[in-house]
Amino acid sequence: METYIIIVIPLLAGYLLDLIFGDPEGLPHPVRFFGHLISFAEKHLNKGRFRFIKGMFMALILCSGTFLFFYSAIHFMLSHSVPVYFLFATAFVYYALANKSLITEGKQVFDALKYKGLEAGRVRLSRIVGRDTSNLDAQQIRVAVFETMSENLSDGVIAPLFFYFVAGVPGMLTYKMINTMDSMVGYHNDKYEYFGKFAARMDDVVNFIPARITTILMLMVTFSMKGWQFVMKYGHQHKSPNAGYPEAALAGILDVQFGGPNVYHGILVDKPLIGSNSREIKHEEFKMVSSINQGVCLIMVLSITIYFFQL
């Protein structure tokens, strides 16, 4: 069977499933299973001496195990039952994409803030960000949503698609394992400073190219010159080597100010300001940001499809 069919059919089907259904609550999800594995390993390894070595061991074992499992499963299915392969691959492309759920979660925060008030907006925002939301005002809530949507457009959409392009479902799910480890143990605090350092650096490395692809695509779909200016001026100033680029792009597209101090896990983190226009973000602007996410995801999917069609 042609490589094009093997790769593109699960990609398009998984993309459409995510576009329609998102990530329904209660549905079994591989990332939750990854989380259980990471929690189990962290509980038994993150103590005593040599925590960096133990964390590196955990990261390498979980990533190599994830890749080998999916690589073996796919090759077995292609050898024995192609229809089962298509179902399996489609399901995991769908699981690995988070575009619809990212947009839905962001919209729920904006709607809670507008229709139910400030406290409801804070509570809803706490579901999708790591910062302390208890003292945020309405503008800070909207900024937090847009920062999260721009960063996770890279982490939750473009990066999985990029690694699907590079190494199929095994690459896509291995990326999800790395990203899940970073979100669980990649913190600068007493508990995870050494144990999670290797996982955090892995996440920085694997997101380097996807973050910049995301940024370019965001600017392409909006034709924003100010976005380009913001990326060049502010993208590298972020503490993360990757997150600052899509955040700067969106701040420039909207001509609004991102960044500033926020509390994360009880620690005040003073993120650099992106932009100088501290204008109020309007509720209606969410539609524009949502359309940017949808456009970027669609272009990435179509680009991969066209590439393999030409082989």
Side-chain angles (χ1 to χ4, degrees), residues 18-189:
D18 178 70
L19 184 65
I20 297 169
F21 298 109
D23 183 16
E25 292 187 16
L27 189 71
H29 201 290
V31 170
R32 297 189 186 99
F33 178 68
F34 291 170
H36 291 316
L37 291 177
I38 295 163
S39 293
F40 178 83
E42 189 273 335
K43 179 180 178 181
H44 289 83
L45 296 176
N46 190 19
K47 53 188 175 182
R49 302 171 62 193
F50 309 114
R51 294 193 186 194
F52 175 80
I53 300 298
K54 293 174 181 177
M56 180 175 68
F57 175 78
M58 177 196 74
L60 293 175
I61 291 297
L62 289 180
C63 290
S64 58
T66 300
F67 187 88
L68 289 173
F69 170 79
F70 283 99
Y71 181 86
S72 301
I74 281 175
H75 278 263
F76 178 83
M77 292 174 192
L78 285 173
S79 300
H80 292 80
S81 178
V82 173
V84 172
Y85 157 76
F86 280 123
L87 290 173
F88 180 86
T90 296
F92 281 98
V93 171
Y94 165 52
Y95 279 133
L97 290 177
N99 194 42
K100 175 67 177 294
S101 60
L102 176 61
I103 293 171
T104 299
E105 290 282 358
K107 185 176 186 301
Q108 288 173 343
V109 176
F110 264 64
D111 286 348
L113 183 62
K114 180 175 181 178
Y115 299 113
K116 297 182 181 180
L118 185 59
E119 187 58 35
R122 290 169 175 168
V123 172
R124 196 74 203 185
L125 177 65
S126 67
R127 292 165 51 101
I128 62 172
V129 299
R131 71 192 69 183
D132 182 359
T133 66
S134 59
N135 294 309
L136 299 184
D137 61 28
Q139 175 71 359
Q140 290 171 320
I141 290 172
R142 295 188 183 102
V143 166
V145 171
F146 284 168
E147 287 179 347
T148 299
M149 289 183 68
S150 59
E151 181 179 352
N152 284 289
L153 178 58
S154 175
D155 292 358
V157 182
I158 299 304
L161 289 172
F162 174 77
F163 283 99
Y164 182 81
F165 168 75
V166 171
V169 170
M172 196 178 208
L173 271 296
T174 302
Y175 168 78
K176 296 298 288 188
M177 174 61 84
I178 294 170
N179 193 241
T180 305
M181 281 193 293
D182 178 64
S183 68
M184 293 181 66
V185 302
Y187 296 106
H188 293 291
N189 56 32

